[in-house]
Amino acid sequence: MNTIEQIKQVIVEKFGVNANEVEAERPLGEYGLDSLGQIELLFAIEEHFEVSIPEEEAHVANLQELADLVDRYKAEKA
């Protein structure tokens, strides 16, 4: 399973979003995640992938940007 698919799975499981509604380019706000929810999502993603994303880089618009960020930090960690 690739990074974007894993992130989609986290959103479905942790935030109760319908799996059919999760799209890579859809803005995070459209999933009903307010700013606190987006922070909680980031923490869940960091835990899931065992990476640490600096706060100044954590402002992403959609899941694809988040997946790209995770992939970058996974590569740096390897």
Side-chain angles (χ1 to χ4, degrees):
M1 186 180 308
N2 65 23
T3 303
I4 193 74
E5 292 300 320
Q6 290 181 61
I7 290 173
K8 287 179 180 180
Q9 184 178 11
V10 169
I11 288 178
V12 169
E13 291 175 3
K14 291 220 174 244
F15 297 94
V17 175
N18 183 325
N20 296 328
E21 296 178 4
V22 181
E23 300 171 7
E25 300 297 328
R26 189 172 177 192
L28 293 177
E30 290 186 14
Y31 296 112
L33 299 177
D34 58 11
S35 57
L36 179 59
Q38 290 181 26
I39 291 169
E40 290 174 355
L41 172 61
L42 180 63
F43 288 150
I45 295 301
E46 287 179 323
E47 182 179 316
H48 179 83
F49 290 99
E50 298 179 351
V51 296
S52 180
I53 299 172
E55 184 178 338
E56 62 271 6
E57 292 193 49
H59 303 286
V60 295
N62 57 46
L63 298 182
Q64 186 60 59
E65 288 181 14
L66 182 55
D68 293 343
L69 196 59
V70 167
D71 285 340
R72 189 173 92 217
Y73 279 95
K74 282 176 20 184
E76 288 178 9
K77 184 179 174 183

